[in-house]
Amino acid sequence: MKTLRRIWAEYIKWRNCWDELCKRCGKCCYQRSLSDSRDVVIDYYSPCENYDEKTCLCLVFEERFKKCNHCGSVNLFNVLFNPLLPPECAYAQTFRVWKK
């Protein structure tokens, strides 16, 4: 129960400024897969067509879900349970408290 309370407290803290938590590393903008040992493997040769590698920003950020079929919402459920979210992601580091 303690873990759930910590997750919820962090969520309340960040829910109104969710996007500000992102470090803009861009790792979620590349093709990703899981290795046999369940590690996230990032294909740095396959960025999203809307990702600017120089600025590490999405060129269509405000409309990303409409313009990109591969762009997924980084919501609390995905942060907690999507295995393709890299462990270095600020969201994963903030909310996956059981992995600290």
Side-chain angles (χ1 to χ4, degrees):
M1 198 55 125
K2 211 177 210 183
T3 300
L4 186 57
R5 284 191 188 122
R6 280 182 58 197
I7 292 169
W8 187 249
E10 281 297 321
Y11 176 71
I12 295 300
K13 177 178 157 183
W14 288 103
R15 69 179 172 181
N16 292 327
C17 53
W18 187 254
D19 291 334
E20 292 176 25
L21 183 56
C22 179
K23 292 182 192 173
R24 312 290 189 266
C25 72
K27 290 182 180 184
C28 61
C29 298
Y30 291 90
Q31 292 293 320
R32 291 160 286 142
S33 61
L34 290 178
S35 69
D36 291 339
S37 60
R38 309 263 315 146
D39 293 323
V40 178
V41 178
I42 301 171
D43 180 0
Y44 288 106
Y45 293 104
S46 298
C48 173
E49 63 187 34
N50 299 307
Y51 180 64
D52 183 340
E53 292 183 278
K54 290 179 183 167
T55 63
C56 295
L57 296 174
C58 176
L59 299 172
V60 294
F61 185 78
E62 296 300 323
E63 299 177 320
R64 65 193 180 279
F65 303 123
K66 292 178 187 172
K67 296 197 173 197
C68 181
N69 294 333
H70 303 288
C71 191
S73 175
V74 181
N75 56 41
L76 185 58
F77 184 83
N78 285 332
V79 168
L80 293 174
F81 302 110
N82 185 342
L84 292 176
L85 196 64
E88 304 84 19
C89 171
Y91 294 102
Q93 291 178 345
T94 301
F95 292 102
R96 292 180 183 173
V97 294
W98 62 88
K99 294 199 176 198
K100 290 182 178 179

